[in-house]
Amino acid sequence: MRPAASSVWLEALAAVAACVFAGLLAWAVAGPGWGIAAACAGLISLLLMHLLHLARLVRWLSLPVGTTVPAGVGAWEGAFAALHRRARRAAERQLELSVALERFRSAGQALPDGVVVLDGHHDIEWLNATAAGHLGLTLDQDRGSHLTNLVREPEFVRYLEGGQYAEPLVLHPGRNPGLTLALQVVPYGQAQKLLLSRDISQLEKLETMRRDFVANVSHELKTPLTVVSGFLETLLDCLREIPPEEAERYLNLAREQALRMERLIEDLLTLSALETGSLAPAEEKVPLAELLAEVADEARALSAGAHRILLKAPGGGSLLGSRAELQSAFGNLVGNAVRYTPAGGTVEIAWEGGADGGGSFSVKDDGIGIEAQHLPRLTERFYRVDRGRSRESGGTGLGLAIVKHVLTRHQATLEIESQPGSGSCFRIRFPPRRCLPAV
Ligand code: ADP
């Protein structure tokens, strides 16, 4: 019930009128003294009733929000009921606001990027867990602190205070070595700011790899190209003076360099096809005996009788995958074994079935071997233990990178065991799903 102001006045007037009437009645019955006393008593009790309600109201106001409003009579009853409704609405609204705030906070926490809410003085109001991890902050401890007291890198302080936020700032936080962050300030509201942080370490690593790759490819192509153009220039300048056998030697050397460039480009195209091709390789049934025989023939051709090439092939069975990719991976391992084994050495190519239904292809040589510290990096593009030796033997530095790609696509793994001076064993393990038994 809403207490209308007019009804309050009417009620007050009625109460005063009742007191006056009681006074007049007492006057008429018992004389003027009693009349005045009765009117005063009525008015005093009216005043006491109001004081009592006022005291209840004051007490209620001091109690926590949500406490039931006191009971009242007359106009007070309506006033208390209205207050009760208002208090309940305020409590509901507060609850709604805190639920909405909590929802925003949870959304902020779920963001993959870091978020720091800053006030106009760059003091921290709130931050999510990602930002805490990125910037080495703690919400409970650092709330209210000036951000530049905690993130002190000079370039960050300049960025935050400079006010030019069109471009993000790339920061390597001192507290977190190895981490690269892209920080972007977004002003909003009245001088408030959102600081967004994103971990771009992986992107930066990829960008460095891309730059190194381009530099490596350019370098690998430039060297033979310089040799070829040098020979051609010499031949053009002094074709008449050079004896024919000397000219032929130059041309042969130039052809060797051209072949080297061709091999490099072929390997680059293979790598790029592996990287950009379909996610899964073809699911061909490649007969193992046939595949291994071809790989052994390749090794014999490359060795030209300088090595003993042994083959321990299974009677039957097939591999499930891309024939061309598997041939390229096996061929690279076998080719390396021949190229890094001095003449007279032995290369053993074998297939073994595993107890779990899987199988492994291995190439063992008794060649120059590899020192342990190089093993983890051998599958990186252009990584070579001995640059000169790799080039001499026609290597591009991409063979094992191609092998690794092919194996990843076939869910296979590469194991390398090697002893400098005694030889190496490269083994590819295939999961059972890829190994089909002979039928
Ligand atoms: P490359 O074309 O130089 O042979 P790879 O990627 O095939 O490139 O091999 C990387 C490096 O690994 C080679 O440069 C070589 O130093 C080393 N390596 C690979 N296979 C053998 C092996 N069987 N014996 C000794 N070293 C090897």
Side-chain angles (χ1 to χ4, degrees):
M1 183 186 36
R2 187 182 286 267
S6 53
S7 72
V8 172
W9 281 112
L10 274 178
E11 208 179 302
L13 273 175
V16 171
C19 292
V20 172
F21 179 72
L24 287 174
L25 200 68
W27 186 311
V29 175
W34 282 105
I36 291 168
C40 286
L43 288 173
I44 287 170
S45 48
L46 205 60
L47 187 65
L48 279 177
M49 188 270 287
H50 282 298
L51 282 177
L52 179 76
H53 281 94
L54 192 63
R56 279 184 191 166
L57 176 64
V58 171
R59 207 174 87 80
W60 176 75
L61 287 174
S62 66
L63 295 174
V65 178
T67 313
T68 326
V69 282
V73 291
W76 284 100
E77 189 187 357
F80 281 155
L83 271 174
H84 176 66
R85 276 196 300 277
R86 198 170 277 206
R88 205 182 52 211
R89 264 204 306 273
E92 279 167 6
R93 186 141 175 70
Q94 200 169 5
L95 187 71
E96 271 170 28
L97 279 176
S98 57
V99 167
L101 191 65
E102 199 41 53
R103 228 182 288 140
F104 275 119
R105 282 196 179 153
S106 321
Q109 286 293 9
L111 281 176
D113 291 348
V115 182
V116 185
V117 181
L118 298 172
D119 68 10
H121 306 287
H122 298 159
D123 291 342
I124 299 172
E125 285 187 349
W126 185 80
L127 54 99
N128 69 0
T130 314
H134 284 169
L135 301 168
L137 305 172
T138 322
L139 179 58
D140 294 341
Q141 216 173 305
D142 298 328
R143 195 199 299 263
S145 306
H146 202 63
L147 182 61
T148 50
N149 287 343
L150 303 167
V151 183
R152 290 163 173 269
E153 279 76 7
E155 63 269 44
F156 174 69
V157 177
R158 268 199 303 278
Y159 175 69
L160 189 64
E161 283 165 5
Q164 300 297 319
Y165 306 131
E167 290 295 318
L169 169 79
V170 174
L171 185 76
H172 298 97
R175 299 186 188 192
N176 218 335
L179 180 72
T180 309
L181 294 176
L183 297 175
Q184 173 95 55
V185 170
V186 184
Y188 76 101
Q190 288 164 350
Q192 282 148 302
K193 292 184 181 86
L194 275 184
L195 172 71
L196 307 176
S197 65
R198 172 171 292 182
D199 181 353
I200 55 161
S201 320
Q202 202 55 28
L203 268 180
E204 199 185 49
K205 217 165 123 192
L206 282 175
E207 180 55 20
T208 312
M209 272 169 71
R210 191 193 63 80
R211 267 202 304 268
D212 288 354
F213 182 67
V214 172
N216 272 322
V217 171
S218 316
H219 177 76
E220 294 288 332
L221 284 173
K222 192 167 182 284
T223 318
L225 208 57
T226 313
V227 177
V228 171
S229 65
F231 284 141
L232 290 178
E233 234 166 76
T234 315
L235 286 174
L236 274 175
D237 288 350
C238 358
L239 190 58
R240 290 176 210 290
E241 298 103 82
I242 297 179
E245 41 312 342
E246 185 76 349
E248 194 183 326
R249 197 174 70 83
Y250 281 177
L251 286 173
N252 269 327
L253 287 170
R255 195 181 59 169
E256 238 172 61
Q257 296 303 318
L259 285 175
R260 191 173 138 195
M261 286 189 278
E262 201 179 302
R263 273 196 306 272
L264 179 67
I265 287 167
E266 263 169 26
D267 277 359
L268 283 171
L269 288 175
T270 309
L271 256 187
S272 135
L274 284 170
E275 279 173 356
T276 55
S278 58
L279 277 181
E283 301 268 293
E284 296 165 71
K285 242 168 111 178
V286 189
L288 266 168
E290 211 178 292
L291 181 64
L292 267 63
E294 278 171 27
V295 170
D297 284 346
E298 254 178 61
R300 284 190 195 102
L302 189 66
S303 155
H307 305 84
R308 257 180 4 125
I309 311 286
L310 306 177
L311 172 62
K312 280 199 210 158
S318 308
L319 255 180
L320 198 62
S322 155
R323 182 183 190 111
E325 290 181 22
L326 292 169
Q327 202 160 11
S328 156
F330 290 8
N332 265 306
L333 293 189
V334 168
N336 280 351
V338 171
R339 286 170 38 236
Y340 297 107
T341 300
T346 305
V347 173
E348 204 178 298
I349 304 164
W351 174 268
E352 271 172 58
D356 62 348
S360 69
F361 168 81
S362 62
V363 184
K364 201 165 161 226
D365 64 58
D366 54 2
I368 60 171
I370 308 160
E371 283 178 44
Q373 82 259 25
H374 298 291
L375 297 182
R377 298 196 57 190
L378 286 187
T379 55
E380 286 175 25
R381 296 156 178 194
F382 296 113
Y383 188 85
R384 290 143 158 154
V385 175
D386 179 342
R387 199 163 274 271
R389 183 153 194 152
S390 158
R391 290 229 181 90
E392 242 171 61
S393 64
T396 60
L398 295 174
L400 291 181
I402 293 175
V403 172
K404 188 183 149 195
H405 261 286
V406 171
L407 301 198
T408 309
R409 285 163 62 77
H410 288 78
Q411 300 82 46
T413 51
L414 179 67
E415 290 166 13
I416 310 172
E417 281 167 30
S418 193
Q419 282 289 326
S422 321
S424 318
C425 179
F426 286 72
R427 183 183 298 279
I428 301 176
R429 286 194 191 279
F430 288 92
R433 185 180 93 71
R434 297 255 164 220
C435 305
L436 309 176
V439 280

